[in-house]
Amino acid sequence: MAGSKEIRTKIKSVENTRKITKAMEMVAASKMRKAQDRMRASRPYAEKIRNVAAHLSFAQVEYKHPYLIKRDVVKNVGLIVISSDKGLCGGLNTNMLRLSVNQMKTWETEGKAVTVSAIGNKGFGFMNRVGANVKSHIIGLGDVPHLESLIGTIKVMLDAYTDGEIDQLYICYTRFINTMKQEPVMQQLLPLSGEQLGSPKGHWDYIYEPEAKPVVDQLMMRYVESLVYNAVAENMASEQSSRMVAMKSASDNAKEVIGDLKLIYNKARQAAITKEISEIVGGAAAVA
Amino acid sequence: MANTVHIDVVSAEASIFSGEAEFVVAPASAGEVGIYPHHAPMVTTIKPGALRIKLADNAEETLIFISGGLLEVQPGLITVLADTAVRGHDLDEAKAIAAKDAAMEAMQNRTSDMDYAKAQAELSEALAQIQAIERLRKNTH
């Protein structure tokens, strides 16, 4: 029985791989549900703060926030890249990074310098490897996004915008459409456009306490942070569903490979038996 | 319906409270503010502290501790945008510096400027792998 032991070992090893991918699939499935819940939980805040920001941008305020003012000449562009910390999630990060690199290339040909801020290990590693100007990063966010851990990274970019180091700020992440479909998107964060905020229902001016400037400053900062937080939450939901699908197909593939290998193994076994029988019959015929 | 105002307390990570209130006391940065229904539109920052809400159908006050944020009063609607973390200018600054330093350190360990050819090559390689796997899967089915 030539090679039958090797085939048996191979079957065993593929079976083990299948067990792992199956387990990862189930883990991803349960994490995906939680990630989706978190994504939905962050929506009310985003909606409310957008409403307030819309009101403020339309209300006649003596103070106009720099985030709302469009700059005529755009020389430097900032980009926040949101990726996953871990791999094995299909084309999620690759597709997102492809979109950002293409956009960065376009900016470069237009003579704009690009500064990158990376959230997530995969994007950070990639940007660093290929030599992008990474100004800040945060990795190891875990499964639950916490706004607290994102503040520093976002603030670096916001400060750069306020100081005039960058004139526009973009964000690139993977939008969650449904379990089977995720899509990389690129959005402009700063300056905030009027269309983004939408027009408010009703019209009134506020009483500001203590003064307009600090209140508006704080509000605008929170607004941008909430947008980034939302993007991170959505990216995490995308990551888990993408991983679930990738691991499911890996398990299916392993199953198929096992089937093929078993067929080969049985054929080899049968061939060996047939050979033995014909040898015995041949020997008996020679004696008789 | 009694004379009430709708109040929503939300944070970036979760929706905390929503309901009809008769009276709300919030720790505004300029001092505590009490808000009755039909208050004039107002926006204010709030300090870490307790938010007290007197509900329409409950004699007891509901207490919610928040670590700062913003309070907005619209006609017929109060919105509290609560922070999830304790914030302060110095704290934020420290976090920003930490994020910057980490990136600087990582930058020092590598060479040259952004190499688009290299980036593209790496990406197409990864993408080709994924596509190959997908093709393989389709063929075997």
Side-chain angles (χ1 to χ4, degrees):
Chain A
M1 282 217 267
S4 76
K5 193 174 181 331
E6 280 90 343
I7 298 171
R8 260 210 316 273
T9 325
K10 183 94 187 154
I11 290 173
K12 195 84 202 150
S13 117
V14 177
E15 268 171 357
N16 284 338
T17 310
R18 181 158 175 266
K19 270 181 208 156
I20 296 167
T21 53
K22 192 86 194 157
M24 283 179 83
E25 179 196 332
M26 285 187 299
V27 170
S30 93
K31 280 186 179 172
M32 181 188 74
R33 263 192 295 278
K34 282 182 205 148
Q36 279 183 35
D37 289 344
R38 270 193 290 274
M39 188 180 84
R40 285 189 197 105
S42 72
R43 272 188 192 151
Y45 183 85
E47 235 160 71
K48 298 274 181 223
I49 201 158
R50 200 186 60 224
N51 280 342
V52 183
H55 270 294
L56 282 182
S57 65
F58 276 83
Q60 291 300 315
V61 195
E62 57 273 32
Y63 169 67
K64 194 138 174 101
H65 198 271
Y67 293 173
L68 293 167
I69 301 165
K70 213 172 171 177
R71 297 187 188 164
D72 297 332
V73 189
V74 178
K75 271 187 159 172
N76 300 293
V77 185
L79 175 66
I80 299 177
V81 176
I82 301 176
S83 60
S84 70
D85 274 327
K86 291 172 189 157
L88 292 181
C89 46
L92 181 90
N93 291 319
T94 313
N95 287 333
M96 187 277 299
L97 288 169
R98 199 181 175 77
L99 178 73
S100 2
V101 164
N102 283 344
Q103 187 63 51
M104 282 162 82
K105 208 174 175 185
T106 319
W107 282 328
E108 201 97 315
T109 48
E110 285 167 3
K112 297 170 185 166
V114 186
T115 310
V116 178
S117 173
I119 297 174
N121 203 5
K122 289 284 160 190
F124 173 62
F126 176 81
M127 287 297 171
N128 233 346
R129 213 160 46 242
V130 299
N133 179 20
V134 183
K135 199 154 185 201
S136 66
H137 75 272
I138 173 87
I139 53 173
L141 287 174
D143 294 326
V144 186
H146 285 298
L147 191 60
E148 196 172 352
S149 44
L150 299 173
I151 291 168
T153 316
I154 303 167
K155 192 172 162 59
V156 170
M157 292 313 253
L158 292 182
D159 284 350
Y161 184 83
T162 319
D163 297 343
E165 281 170 42
I166 54 172
D167 304 309
Q168 272 179 342
L169 182 59
Y170 286 82
I171 187 167
C172 192
Y173 66 99
T174 309
R175 178 183 285 155
F176 181 87
I177 297 169
N178 55 43
T179 315
M180 298 305 287
K181 197 168 169 17
Q182 299 89 34
E183 191 181 69
V185 284
M186 171 90 66
Q187 271 175 2
Q188 184 175 334
L189 275 185
L190 295 177
L192 294 166
S193 58
E195 304 97 68
Q196 236 175 318
L197 292 170
S199 53
K201 295 181 219 100
H203 207 73
W204 53 79
D205 203 355
Y206 290 106
I207 302 168
Y208 297 95
E209 250 192 48
E211 265 177 273
K213 189 176 179 303
V215 177
V216 177
D217 278 356
Q218 197 178 343
L219 179 89
M220 286 302 167
M221 203 169 125
R222 297 288 188 283
Y223 178 55
V224 176
E225 280 169 8
S226 94
L227 287 177
V228 177
Y229 176 84
N230 244 333
V232 172
E234 221 163 288
N235 200 69
M236 279 184 179
S238 302
E239 177 195 344
Q240 296 303 344
S241 34
S242 183
R243 177 167 299 131
M244 189 188 79
V245 172
M247 286 304 119
K248 187 173 166 42
S249 65
S251 308
D252 291 351
N253 281 342
K255 203 174 164 188
E256 232 151 82
V257 170
I258 291 168
D260 290 351
L261 283 173
K262 277 205 172 139
L263 192 68
I264 295 169
Y265 173 71
N266 283 334
K267 270 183 184 164
R269 196 172 57 99
Q270 194 57 57
I273 292 166
T274 313
K275 199 176 143 211
E276 215 168 303
I277 289 172
S278 65
E279 269 166 12
I280 292 167
V281 170
V287 171
Chain B
M1 197 78 191
N3 196 11
T4 58
V5 58
H6 190 80
I7 175 162
D8 287 320
V9 184
V10 289
S11 81
E13 285 166 23
S15 188
I16 299 168
F17 179 86
S18 180
E20 298 292 324
E22 275 178 355
F23 181 55
V24 177
V25 179
S29 53
E32 283 216 324
V33 287
I35 301 157
Y36 281 106
H38 307 297
H39 193 282
M42 177 179 82
V43 184
T44 180
T45 52
I46 40 184
K47 293 184 294 193
L51 187 72
R52 302 207 314 266
I53 303 166
K54 168 92 176 65
L55 288 175
D57 46 4
N58 198 337
E60 292 266 304
E61 277 182 341
T62 305
L63 273 179
I64 299 168
F65 282 94
I66 42 178
S67 48
L70 286 159
L71 171 85
E72 188 220 15
V73 184
Q74 284 182 16
L77 177 68
I78 301 173
T79 313
V80 180
L81 302 162
D83 286 339
T84 43
V86 177
R87 303 286 295 262
H89 186 261
D90 294 341
L91 275 173
D92 286 7
E93 198 70 41
K95 277 180 192 140
I97 288 167
K100 229 176 184 165
D101 286 350
M104 284 285 260
E105 209 180 288
M107 283 261 276
Q108 265 157 14
N109 298 328
R110 57 135 226 250
T111 52
S112 75
D113 296 334
M114 178 86 184
D115 187 347
Y116 287 103
K118 196 177 164 192
Q120 223 110 38
E122 250 184 64
L123 284 175
S124 18
E125 199 185 309
L127 213 66
Q129 274 175 8
I130 292 161
Q131 272 161 0
I133 291 165
E134 241 143 54
R135 250 205 314 279
L136 204 72
R137 210 169 78 223
K138 264 187 205 131
N139 284 344
T140 49
H141 272 273

